[in-house]
């Protein structure tokens, strides 16, 4: 029924902690869009995810044709729809396991295609192989980040086994800022970290094309993301050294995915 949801309902679907790019530059627009979609359309979360992927492919084509501003704009709208689909799923309770898979895989396809389009467009224009290398680096870093995260979760489960009082719940995630700043960020729903995958995508596919400063911005973002991932792995390694061992059967159970 039209008008049954309010903006407050949509705001309640936001994640408790999110990327600063999402909190400040996407959610202020995504929430009103989600309200209109929820009250005045029959679009499903999976349909929105598919639309986001189509726009992502259009962004990649624009990058390949050296239409950088159009490519950046389409990438932003594609990501905005990707945020809206999750809000609609939580608002209406219509999320599905297949939808989670589609959202995850769609994101990876969008990034790989946009990295390829950006590299192809700039190589065609300049004949400088550095753009091909950069496109490959961006794609590999993104894939590594999203393969590494679930594997680290499985390792954490193998280490900890069943919950035990007094045992740390999880290893630290990434570089943290000073406590006062952490508290400020938490109050504003912003995750405290060096850089996230979302901010990496925003830097490479939105900020860099819009400013025309492709190589420096993409290179710095890539170095920061790699540093963040290395730091997370290092913290996990430290965590594994100080957490008491769990029975071997618990480790096997967690690693198998049970």
């Amino acid at each position: 029924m039209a008008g049954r949801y309010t903006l407050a309902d949509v705001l309640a679907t936001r994640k408790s902690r999110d990327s600063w790019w999402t909190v400040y530059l996407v959610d202020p627009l995504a929430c009103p869009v989600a309200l209109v979609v929820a009250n005045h359309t029959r679009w499903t979360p999976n349909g929105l995810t598919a639309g986001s992927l189509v726009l992502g492919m259009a962004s990649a084509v624009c990058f390949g044709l050296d239409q950088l501003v159009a490519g950046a704009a389409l990438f932003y709208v594609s990501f905005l729809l990707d945020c809206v689909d999750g809000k609609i799923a939580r608002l209406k309770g219509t999320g599905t396991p297949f939808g989670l898979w589609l959202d995850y895989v769609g994101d990876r396809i969008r990034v790989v295609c946009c990295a390829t389009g950006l590299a192809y467009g700039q190589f065609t224009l300049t004949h400088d192989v550095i753009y091909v290398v950069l496109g490959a680096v961006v794609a590999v870093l993104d894939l590594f980040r999203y393969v590494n995260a679930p594997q680290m979760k499985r390792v954490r489960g193998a280490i900890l086994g069943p919950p035990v009082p007094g045992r740390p719940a999880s290893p630290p995630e990434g570089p943290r800022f000073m406590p006062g700043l952490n508290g400020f960020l938490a109050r504003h729903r912003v995750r405290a970290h060096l850089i996230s995958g979302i901010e990496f995508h925003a830097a490479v596919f939105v900020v860099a094309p819009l400013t025309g400063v492709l190589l420096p911005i993409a290179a710095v973002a890539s170095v920061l993301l790699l540093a963040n991932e290395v730091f997370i792995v290092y913290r996990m390694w430290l965590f594994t050294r100080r957490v008491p061992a769990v029975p071997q059967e618990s480790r096997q159970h967690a690693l198998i995915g049970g």
Side-chain angles (χ1 to χ4, degrees):
M1 178 170 48
R4 73 183 229 188
Y5 299 107
T6 67
L7 184 58
D9 295 328
V10 176
L11 294 177
T13 66
R14 296 176 302 178
K15 297 176 182 177
S16 59
R17 301 289 290 275
D18 213 334
S19 159
W20 65 263
W21 176 267
T22 301
V23 171
Y24 292 118
L25 297 175
V26 179
D27 269 355
L29 183 56
C31 288
V33 170
L35 181 63
V36 173
V37 170
N39 284 331
H40 301 289
T41 77
R42 295 184 178 180
W43 293 347
T44 65
N46 287 353
L48 290 166
T49 301
S52 172
L53 181 57
V54 170
L55 288 176
M57 297 301 97
S59 173
V61 171
C62 288
F63 286 143
L65 296 175
D66 194 37
Q67 299 297 314
L68 299 183
V69 173
L74 285 170
F75 189 92
Y76 174 85
V77 176
S78 173
F79 180 73
L80 184 145
L81 276 186
D82 197 29
C83 290
V84 170
D85 67 9
K87 291 175 172 54
I88 296 298
R90 291 186 289 272
L91 183 66
K92 295 186 174 183
T94 54
T96 65
F98 177 78
L100 289 174
W101 175 87
L102 182 64
D103 185 68
Y104 185 89
V105 173
D107 286 347
R108 307 289 70 75
I109 293 173
R110 176 177 58 191
V111 170
V112 169
C113 289
C114 284
T116 301
L118 199 57
Y120 173 80
Q122 294 309 299
F123 176 76
T124 301
L125 186 68
T126 66
H127 301 290
D128 191 339
V129 74
I130 190 63
Y131 288 104
V132 176
V133 173
L134 185 63
V137 167
V138 168
V140 169
L141 280 176
D142 180 73
L143 291 173
F144 172 74
R145 174 176 173 78
Y146 285 93
V147 167
N148 188 40
Q151 291 305 313
M152 289 183 66
K153 183 176 180 180
R154 293 176 67 187
V155 169
R156 180 179 62 203
I159 294 169
L160 295 178
V164 174
R167 178 182 286 153
S170 64
E173 295 179 354
R176 292 293 191 243
F177 307 120
M178 42 189 143
L181 181 55
N182 279 337
F184 172 82
L185 294 174
R187 289 191 296 273
H188 290 80
R189 298 194 308 111
V190 177
R191 290 196 304 258
H193 50 216
L194 181 62
I195 187 172
S196 73
I198 290 172
E199 289 146 351
F200 176 63
H201 300 162
V204 174
F205 300 121
V206 179
V207 177
L210 286 178
T211 60
V213 189
L214 291 174
L215 282 176
I217 291 178
V220 169
S222 297
V223 169
L224 288 177
L225 185 66
L226 180 60
N228 190 70
E229 291 302 299
V230 169
F231 189 86
I232 291 173
V233 172
Y234 171 69
R235 294 292 292 273
M236 182 188 68
W237 176 73
L238 292 179
F239 179 76
T240 63
R241 290 169 61 87
R242 68 173 185 265
V243 173
V246 299
Q248 184 66 26
E249 58 270 19
S250 296
R251 287 200 185 106
Q252 292 174 346
H253 182 71
L255 287 171
I256 292 170

